[in-house]
Amino acid sequence: MNGPKSPNSWQYRGLNMVNPGLDHLSNGLIDLVKTGHNVVAGSADLQYSNGLNRFAEAYPDRYISFGISEQNMVSTAAGIATTGVVPFVATFASFLGLLTCEQIRMDVAYSAQPVRLVGHHTGISLGFYGTSHHATEDIGTMRSIADLTVVSPSDGAQLEAAIRASANWDQPIYFRIGRGRDPVVYDGGTTFEFGKAHVHGFGEDLTIIACGITVHAALEAAAAMNAAGRSVGVIDMASIKPLDRDAIIEAADRSKSGRLMTVEEHNVLGGLGAAVAEVLTDEGKGIRLKRHGIHDEYSLIAPPTHLYAHYKLDGAGIRAVAEEFLRS
């Protein structure tokens, strides 16, 4: 195992200082080591983009730099897991959720190894890097793999809580996280439980079920709509698999308008909206569901903030979509 190289590089010196949001992944792993858990971490040449450089500096003997070899990284992590060590491996979500799908399916999930897969820069957060780096299919891909848990934290505090919770979770996990610049949802910290949503309230007019970076925007939209006289609630569905079926059913039962809405930085096919639709169908709930996200297209190339506005995944956009849905 080895640590970071060339500390004099400009990006090596600066990224964590200008973007403290990158610290959360390392913070969670450092907490696990300090509490006696035998974990290691690795990345595919992106430790400065995901913040794992801090973990590597704290525990150089517990960090592996795999270079640009994502498939090898996942297979190696599966092998490490057979020794009783729990590996966390990270790279761009577009590579982890798609390029390494075969290795995740066969080497990790089918082999029942407790590997923690961290896909960062999810959705359209890589902006100008374009289609090859946009991850808008990974929820659908990962949640269709048997015995693979899928988690999409809304901010750094929730990511740290989910990492701590993973210490007692036997299944492999796919963590879907942002780029370290995600707006804060849980300012005072939070707890996390697999299979349980964080309910910010149920709405009689509408409950918005969101995950990842869209939770903050959904809360903004709900606050504006409630101030205008609507009754709108928000559910943070960070645990996508297992899913909190009870929270979905309660939201449906409390809706006097007979409407629910999902929001995700992902293709509306196969993602969170599809998962919620499956629950409503299974339970025979006669309710209208609006699935809001990227509508089965390859996302455009632009700065992330412009893309969020274009696809109406910011607060104003989510509110506009929700109001139109309620008027329909």
Side-chain angles (χ1 to χ4, degrees):
M1 300 185 185
N2 50 32
K5 303 296 184 181
S6 304
N8 293 324
S9 167
W10 67 269
Q11 65 168 355
Y12 292 179
R13 290 199 309 268
L15 284 181
N16 290 91
M17 294 177 63
V18 300
N19 187 11
L22 287 174
D23 292 346
H24 292 289
L25 176 57
S26 281
N27 288 347
L29 297 183
I30 289 170
D31 283 348
L32 289 185
V33 175
K34 287 182 176 179
T35 52
H37 297 283
N38 195 6
V39 302
V40 299
S43 185
D45 201 31
L46 290 171
Q47 61 267 29
Y48 298 95
S49 296
N50 53 41
L52 279 177
N53 59 298
R54 289 187 63 252
F55 181 82
E57 291 160 4
Y59 300 104
D61 291 338
R62 291 179 178 269
Y63 180 76
I64 306 170
S65 179
F66 287 93
I68 304 175
S69 56
E70 295 85 359
Q71 292 167 316
N72 178 61
M73 179 178 72
V74 172
S75 293
T76 302
I80 291 171
T82 66
T83 69
V85 179
V86 177
F88 285 74
V89 292
T91 187
F92 289 143
S94 56
F95 302 158
L96 196 59
L98 299 175
L99 177 63
T100 73
C101 184
E102 170 68 11
Q103 287 72 33
I104 292 173
R105 179 177 181 264
M106 295 305 302
D107 297 343
V108 174
Y110 178 71
S111 302
Q113 298 302 326
V115 176
R116 281 52 173 124
L117 305 145
V118 183
H120 53 86
H121 288 75
T122 56
I124 49 181
S125 65
L126 271 169
F128 278 124
Y129 284 77
T131 302
S132 64
H133 285 60
H134 291 176
T136 55
E137 306 91 355
D138 57 321
I139 294 177
T141 302
M142 293 294 100
R143 79 179 188 91
S144 67
I145 296 177
D147 298 324
L148 179 63
T149 296
V150 180
V151 177
S152 181
S154 60
D155 69 357
Q158 193 174 58
L159 170 61
E160 290 188 37
I163 289 173
R164 290 192 295 270
S166 73
N168 300 311
W169 193 253
D170 293 333
Q171 286 188 344
I173 305 168
Y174 176 69
F175 289 98
R176 185 181 202 260
I177 68 174
R179 58 179 182 146
R181 298 185 182 182
D182 316 311
V184 172
V185 176
Y186 301 104
D187 192 24
T190 186
T191 58
F192 178 86
E193 184 178 350
F194 292 99
K196 292 293 183 182
H198 193 116
V199 179
H200 292 270
F202 297 101
E204 293 185 358
D205 292 324
L206 184 68
T207 296
I208 301 172
I209 304 173
C211 66
I213 195 173
T214 63
V215 172
H216 186 273
L219 288 168
E220 282 188 344
M225 294 174 74
N226 287 329
R230 295 282 197 187
S231 174
V232 179
V234 175
I235 296 175
D236 176 357
M237 195 63 75
S239 180
I240 296 176
K241 182 187 176 185
L243 198 66
D244 191 339
R245 300 174 68 90
D246 291 340
I248 296 168
I249 293 166
E250 185 170 358
D253 290 341
R254 290 200 183 195
S255 175
K256 292 185 177 179
S257 71
R259 287 172 168 81
L260 294 179
M261 177 172 160
T262 57
V263 181
E264 58 194 311
E265 189 186 5
H266 187 273
N267 194 332
V268 295
L269 301 180
L272 175 63
V276 171
E278 290 163 10
V279 173
L280 296 174
T281 301
D282 290 345
E283 299 296 329
K285 296 293 180 182
I287 194 166
R288 291 191 63 187
L289 175 66
K290 173 68 175 180
R291 294 174 297 149
H292 179 44
I294 296 173
H295 288 266
D296 198 27
E297 64 180 90
Y298 294 104
S299 49
L300 300 175
I301 301 171
T305 50
H306 290 59
L307 291 176
Y308 298 144
H310 173 78
Y311 288 108
K312 298 184 178 180
L313 292 172
D314 56 0
I318 292 172
R319 180 184 181 185
V321 172
E323 291 283 10
E324 182 180 357
F325 178 44
L326 289 173
R327 289 193 299 268
S328 64

